[in-house]
Amino acid sequence: MYNALLFWKSTLYCSRHRAITLSRALLSLSQLNPRATTPAATRMMSSSSASGSAQRIFQLKLNPLTGDSEWVVIEEEENESAKFGKQQPLLATTSYLDMLNDTPRNKAFRQAIEKAITKPCHVLDIGAGTGLLSMMAARAMSFGDSEERSGMNGMVTACESYLPMVKLMRKVLRANGMERKIRIINKRSDELEIGLDIPSRADVLVSEILDSELLGEGLIPTLQHAHEKLLVENPQTVPYRATTYGQLVECNYLWELHDLVNREAKASDGIHLVPSGTDTVLCIKRQQYAMHCDTIREEIKLLSEPFKIFDFDFWKRPDSFRETELHVKATNDGTIHAIISWWLLQLDSEGTIFYSTGPKWIGSSSDVEKIGSSLPRADNWCDHWKQTVWFTPDSGLSVCKDKEVRLNAFHTETRISYEVKTSSQNKDADHLDSCSQDRHIFLSPERIAIYGDNSWRCSMLKAIERVMQQKLHPLCLIADDSLFLTIAFARLGKASSVISLFPGLQDKGAKYLQAVAAANGYSMDCIEVTKKGNLQLTLNESYQRKVDLLIAEPFYHGNDSMLPWEYLRFWKERTSLDSFLSEDVLVMPCKGILRACAMYLPDLWQSRCCLKEIEGFDHMVVNTTLGACGDLPVGDESPCLPFFVWKCGKTKKLSNIITIMEFDFLKPIGPCSGKAQVQFKESGICHGFVLWIDWVLDLEDNNVWSTGPEQRYWKQAVKLLSNPVEIMGDCSSTEIKASFDPSSGELTVTHGFS
C-alpha cells in the first residue's frame, strides 16, 4: 500500500469533509500533502472469508509531533460486532454533528421535501451524508412494499462518495427500517451513469452541499452535471434558490486580521515583515473567510444597508461565471474594512420556507421582513454555517454618508470575490489574485494579526535580547516556520549566524528572507535555510560548531487547526536535534504550561450533543463516530477539539485558571502527567473544560505568552462533559487529570465529572 499509486481528487470541496469532486489526478503517496486531513485521504479494501465479509479502511493520519502522515488501517465488520472493541470518533473533526444538531435547518428541509414530494417518483440525493434527506423523501412518498418501487417511480437514490459516511448511512437506514427503501451509491455524482448506476433520470433533486460561502463545496459544477446528465427537464429541487447578500462594515478587529502593513508601521520596532512595496509577499489569500460575526457585533460599525449580490437557482443549470456591478449607498461616515456576506436559502418554489445564515442584526431589514419568522432564532448558534468576510485591501477605503460605493462582484464555480471603488476612484482599489502564488506566502488571518500585535512582538523581542546577552556570537537554529524570529535574530544579532529549518515553508521561506533582507538590514550571508536531514552537513561544512540557541514560537505553516499540545512538536524536534546542540544550549521557549478552566458553554455543548431523533429519524448510531457528547455508551467520551472559545456563542468562566502540568523543553521529550483541583468561583452550569498552553519565553524574566481564551488569535482545546453539571456556590470543586503520550502526541484528559 505504501508504494502504491492512488487515485486522488484534484479539486476538493470539503468544508464539511465531504468528498465532492470534479476530477481525479494520479499521484504517488510521496506527493500527498502531509497536512491533509480531508476525507479523500481514505481508501477501502474488501475481503471475503468463510465467516463473512469485512471492510478495511485505510485512512491518512497526521502525526502532529513529526508533521508526517501515515496510512492507518481501520477494520470494521459489516455485522457491527464488538470484535474490534469500541468505536472511535473518526469523524469528530468534521462538522456533520453540528449540522445534524441544527434544528431549524432540519425542519426547513423536511417541510420543503414534504411539500415537493407528494407521490412516488425518482428522487436523487447528492452528498447524502447520514441519509437524512433521503429518508425524508422516502417517507414523503409513503413508501410501502416493493410493488411501489417498480420502474423509475418510488425510488430514492442516495449518492455519497465518502466511504466512512456511507458506512454510517447504512447503520442509520437500518436503525430506521429504511435500508430497502433507499439505494446507496458510493460514488461522486459526476461518476453516475444512467442505465448503469440509476435506471433513469431523477424527477426530484434533494441536496445540501453548501458551505458558509455557498459555493465552496462544489454547488455549481454539481448542479451543472446533474442537470446535464441526471435530472429530467424542469425537475423539482430542494432547495429551490439561494441568494447572497452583503454589507459594508468598519471594524478594528477585522482590520487587524489582514492589514499587517499599517499595524507593523505602528509597532516601530525595526522589524519589517512587509517592507514598502512588498505588501503582498506575506498576506492572507484573497478569499472569503467564514466567521461568527455576531460575536463582534459591538465592534462593528455598519456602513450600508444589506444589499443583494447573486441569485443561484437550483432548478436550472447554473452559469460557471458571472459578474455584476452594484451601487451601494453609504449610511455612515467611516472606513470600509470588510464586506460581510451571508446567504438566504429558499427551499420551496412558492417562497414560504427559508433558512438564512445572516447575522442577527439584519432581522429588521426591509428585504427580509416578510420572512423574518423563518430566519435563525437568536439562540440558534451553529458552527457549520457562519457569515463570511471579504477584507478590503490595506487599511480600508474611506466613505462619507450618502456617497456611493461601486462594488463589482464576481463568482466562479467555487468562490465569490469583490472589487471595491468609491465614487472618486478611477481605478480598482482591489483585485483578484493574478500573480503567481510562488511569489506569496499566505498566512491565516489570525497569524497575520499575531505578527501585527505589538504586545506579542515586544514579548518576543524582549526574550531574544535576553538570550543574546547570554551568548557571544551565537549560532541560532530556528526550529519552526517563524519568519519573525528569523528576521529578528538576523537583525539584532549582527555577528550571529541563523539557520532556519522552515519545515512547512521550505524554499518559499528562503525566497521571502531574500526579498526582505535589505529593508531589515541583514545580509543573507548570515542566514541559511536547510532541511532537517541536511543539518549535520550544514553544521560541519559551514560552521564547525554546535547550536547555541534553539528557538521557536512555535508555529507550523498550514497547521491552523491544531490542538494546543500539538505544538509540542517543538519539543519532539528539540529532542531529535539533541546531538546538534551544545551542552549549554539555550532553548526558547524553555517551558510549556498546560492550563485549564471550567466554563459555561451552552451553545457549543448543544451543537455537539448526542443525536437522538432528527425530524422523526433515529440517529443515535452515529454519536460515537461523530464525537458527540452526552449519553454515550459506557467508556466512551467526547474528544478534545480545537475552537476559538470566545466565538462559541454564550460563554462564562466558572473557575479560576489552574495549572495541570508543565513541559520542560530543556530535557528530551518523554511521557508526563499531572492533575489539579478545579475550584469553582461562580454558580452556573458547567459544560466542559477549556485547555491551552502558556509558553514560557524567559523563566528568569517571567516572560510568558498565554494562548488562553482572552487571546483571540489562538484556538483552545475544549473537553465537553458527557452531561452538564450544575455548580452551586463557590464551595464546589472537582479534579482534572491529563497525561501526554510522546509517541502519538495525544493528550488524554479525565475529570471528576466522568
Side-chain angles (χ1 to χ4, degrees):
M1 181 65 186
Y2 280 82
N3 295 321
L5 290 178
L6 302 178
F7 280 110
W8 192 259
K9 279 87 172 178
S10 63
T11 307
L12 290 171
Y13 308 105
C14 53
S15 57
R16 186 170 314 141
H17 286 212
R18 294 176 182 166
I20 303 171
T21 62
L22 303 181
S23 60
R24 288 180 173 180
L26 193 62
L27 296 179
S28 68
L29 267 178
S30 62
Q31 292 173 293
L32 298 180
N33 182 349
R35 304 182 192 87
T37 56
T38 67
T42 307
R43 316 305 299 165
M44 183 270 285
M45 293 178 64
S46 298
S47 60
S48 299
S49 63
S51 60
S53 176
Q55 285 193 330
R56 180 176 293 176
I57 300 175
F58 292 83
Q59 192 167 47
L60 193 62
K61 183 178 180 181
L62 174 71
N63 184 326
L65 293 189
T66 63
D68 297 329
S69 53
E70 61 181 1
W71 291 95
V72 295
V73 180
I74 304 165
E75 297 189 72
E76 182 178 353
E77 293 294 311
E78 281 298 311
N79 62 11
E80 300 178 38
S81 71
K83 178 177 179 180
F84 296 105
K86 67 180 182 181
Q87 298 180 60
Q88 298 297 318
L90 300 176
L91 304 181
T93 57
T94 69
S95 55
Y96 282 109
L97 180 62
D98 178 82
M99 176 188 68
L100 291 167
N101 268 313
D102 186 349
T103 300
R105 166 200 175 271
N106 301 334
K107 180 181 178 181
F109 270 91
R110 177 194 43 89
Q111 290 175 334
I113 287 172
E114 290 176 350
K115 191 173 181 179
I117 302 173
T118 57
K119 60 183 180 180
C121 57
H122 184 188
V123 179
L124 175 62
D125 181 0
I126 295 178
T130 63
L132 177 61
L133 303 189
S134 293
M135 292 189 293
M136 290 177 177
R139 184 174 62 186
M141 280 191 275
S142 301
F143 258 126
D145 295 327
S146 59
E147 60 264 24
E148 295 185 13
R149 304 180 61 193
S150 59
M152 66 180 177
N153 292 323
M155 173 186 294
V156 177
T157 301
C159 176
E160 174 58 56
S161 65
Y162 184 30
L163 177 62
M165 282 310 302
V166 169
K167 296 172 77 63
L168 274 188
M169 193 193 321
R170 290 193 180 112
K171 294 179 182 179
V172 173
L173 296 187
R174 283 197 294 268
N176 290 279
M178 287 277 190
E179 66 269 33
R180 296 182 59 194
K181 300 177 180 181
I182 296 168
R183 183 164 181 257
I184 301 173
I185 300 180
N186 182 203
K187 286 185 177 182
R188 306 193 318 268
S189 63
D190 63 348
E191 295 177 323
L192 297 182
E193 295 183 31
I194 302 296
L196 179 63
D197 300 298
I198 53 179
S200 63
R201 289 176 176 259
D203 307 294
V204 180
L205 172 68
V206 296
S207 184
E208 195 274 86
I209 47 173
L210 314 174
D211 68 348
S212 295
E213 190 179 4
L214 188 72
L215 306 182
E217 289 192 10
L219 174 66
I220 287 179
T222 299
L223 287 177
Q224 287 175 338
H225 179 267
H227 280 284
E228 291 170 1
K229 303 291 185 181
L230 305 176
L231 302 176
V232 298
E233 189 175 352
N234 298 319
Q236 293 192 72
T237 63
V238 178
Y240 181 79
R241 174 182 291 126
T243 303
T244 59
Y245 291 87
Q247 195 162 21
L248 307 179
V249 301
E250 175 182 288
C251 177
N252 192 64
Y253 171 73
L254 297 180
W255 169 69
E256 292 173 355
L257 293 178
H258 78 281
D259 187 6
L260 182 54
V261 174
N262 288 286
R263 292 190 75 207
E264 189 170 63
K266 292 184 177 182
S268 301
D269 52 25
I271 306 298
H272 304 288
L273 295 176
V274 281
S276 177
T278 65
D279 52 315
T280 61
V281 73
L282 188 68
C283 58
I284 61 171
K285 286 187 177 181
R286 303 300 296 157
Q287 65 180 44
Q288 296 197 84
Y289 290 87
M291 195 173 299
H292 290 289
C293 292
D294 284 317
T295 309
I296 55 173
R297 175 62 185 96
E298 297 304 314
E299 304 172 51
I300 289 176
K301 181 179 181 180
L302 301 177
L303 299 180
S304 76
E305 292 293 333
F307 49 84
K308 182 177 174 180
I309 304 170
F310 287 115
D311 279 324
F312 297 91
D313 291 320
F314 290 62
W315 53 272
K316 64 181 181 180
R317 186 188 185 281
D319 295 325
S320 295
F321 176 88
R322 281 185 295 167
E323 177 180 353
T324 185
E325 182 174 278
L326 304 171
H327 298 263
V328 181
K329 182 179 179 181
T331 56
N332 274 305
D333 296 339
T335 301
I336 304 171
H337 290 139
I339 302 169
I340 292 178
S341 300
W342 61 91
W343 45 259
L344 177 67
L345 201 62
Q346 177 184 329
L347 288 100
D348 64 329
S349 58
E350 293 82 7
T352 63
I353 305 170
F354 294 90
Y355 182 100
S356 172
T357 63
K360 296 171 187 175
W361 69 75
I362 59 97
S364 59
S365 169
S366 59
D367 219 20
V368 295
E369 277 183 347
K370 61 182 179 181
I371 54 169
S373 61
S374 299
L375 298 177
R377 302 184 308 273
D379 60 349
N380 183 50
W381 183 90
C382 64
D383 201 46
H384 67 104
W385 285 329
K386 312 175 185 71
Q387 296 78 50
T388 58
V389 174
W390 174 274
F391 299 105
T392 56
D394 303 326
S395 58
L397 298 169
S398 296
V399 294
C400 297
K401 184 178 180 180
D402 295 329
K403 295 297 183 179
E404 186 178 86
V405 177
R406 293 168 55 199
L407 177 67
N408 286 344
F410 312 81
H411 81 74
T412 63
E413 290 185 343
T414 58
R415 60 181 285 191
I416 298 173
S417 53
Y418 306 95
E419 292 178 355
V420 184
K421 305 175 185 178
T422 62
S423 56
S424 61
Q425 288 177 305
N426 295 318
K427 63 178 183 178
D428 292 344
D430 195 7
H431 57 85
L432 300 176
D433 282 331
S434 58
C435 300
S436 168
Q437 291 195 4
D438 290 339
R439 300 181 184 179
H440 303 291
I441 291 179
F442 293 117
L443 301 179
S444 70
E446 289 76 22
R447 178 55 49 177
I448 289 290
I450 290 168
Y451 278 170
D453 184 81
N454 190 54
S455 296
W456 181 86
R457 291 166 72 111
C458 286
S459 291
M460 289 292 169
L461 291 174
K462 185 179 179 181
I464 291 171
E465 290 168 353
R466 283 274 299 177
V467 297
M468 294 190 71
Q469 289 172 5
Q470 302 174 56
K471 294 285 184 179
L472 183 65
H473 309 318
L475 174 58
C476 175
L477 178 62
I478 309 295
D480 64 350
D481 285 310
S482 179
L483 298 168
F484 182 87
L485 291 180
T486 303
I487 293 173
F489 265 100
R491 176 179 171 81
L492 297 177
K494 300 294 186 181
S496 303
S497 298
V498 182
I499 302 174
S500 291
L501 296 182
F502 288 162
L505 293 172
Q506 298 182 2
D507 291 342
K508 275 192 173 184
K511 293 176 182 177
Y512 166 82
L513 293 177
Q514 179 71 57
V516 301
N520 285 282
Y522 64 80
S523 168
M524 286 301 291
D525 293 340
C526 72
I527 298 180
E528 187 157 358
V529 177
T530 187
K531 294 181 179 179
K532 182 180 174 183
N534 299 332
L535 184 58
Q536 180 69 67
L537 183 63
T538 300
L539 290 174
N540 290 341
E541 291 188 352
S542 302
Y543 302 99
Q544 295 84 47
R545 58 189 288 198
K546 291 193 173 184
V547 171
D548 303 299
L549 304 176
L550 179 66
I551 310 295
E553 297 181 20
F555 159 64
Y556 296 96
H557 185 252
N559 294 340
D560 299 313
S561 297
M562 296 171 69
L563 289 162
W565 44 87
E566 291 178 347
Y567 289 97
L568 294 177
R569 174 178 175 179
F570 169 63
W571 197 11
K572 181 79 170 181
E573 296 283 8
R574 176 256 178 272
T575 303
S576 65
L577 294 167
D578 198 55
S579 61
F580 305 121
L581 308 180
S582 63
E583 291 185 2
D584 60 345
V585 65
L586 296 179
V587 180
M588 186 189 101
C590 58
K591 185 185 294 186
I593 305 174
L594 182 65
R595 312 265 199 200
C597 67
M599 291 195 70
Y600 169 74
L601 299 163
D603 295 322
L604 181 59
W605 194 90
Q606 184 61 42
S607 76
R608 302 291 310 177
C609 70
C610 277
L611 302 168
K612 294 180 181 179
E613 278 200 353
I614 304 177
E615 299 299 321
F617 297 107
D618 183 0
H619 271 67
M620 293 178 65
V621 293
V622 307
N623 284 325
T624 300
T625 304
L626 297 185
C629 60
D631 300 321
L632 294 170
V634 176
D636 287 350
E637 286 196 15
S638 62
C640 290
L641 295 172
F643 290 97
F644 290 108
V645 169
W646 72 280
K647 295 181 180 180
C648 292
K650 295 185 286 290
T651 66
K652 184 175 74 172
K653 285 185 181 178
L654 299 178
S655 75
N656 292 320
I657 294 174
I658 57 169
T659 297
I660 302 176
M661 64 176 168
E662 297 183 352
F663 310 100
D664 187 355
F665 304 145
L666 301 181
K667 300 176 181 178
I669 194 171
C672 50
S673 60
K675 61 182 179 179
Q677 198 70 17
V678 181
Q679 186 67 45
F680 291 91
K681 63 178 183 178
E682 291 192 36
S683 299
I685 305 298
C686 179
H687 294 92
F689 297 95
V690 174
L691 302 96
W692 66 93
I693 290 180
D694 287 350
W695 302 93
V696 181
L697 305 178
D698 186 338
L699 193 58
E700 294 183 9
D701 199 37
N702 197 30
N703 189 347
V704 180
W705 189 262
S706 177
T707 61
E710 291 82 9
Q711 301 292 334
R712 302 205 291 185
Y713 308 140
W714 278 270
K715 288 186 177 181
Q716 296 79 41
V718 178
K719 176 72 172 180
L720 293 171
L721 304 182
S722 294
N723 288 289
V725 175
E726 185 174 4
I727 305 301
M728 304 296 292
D730 59 4
C731 60
S732 302
S733 66
T734 189
E735 187 177 66
I736 185 170
K737 298 179 180 179
S739 60
F740 175 69
D741 180 358
S743 64
S744 64
E746 294 180 357
L747 187 133
T748 303
V749 179
T750 58
H751 48 80
F753 294 139
S754 299

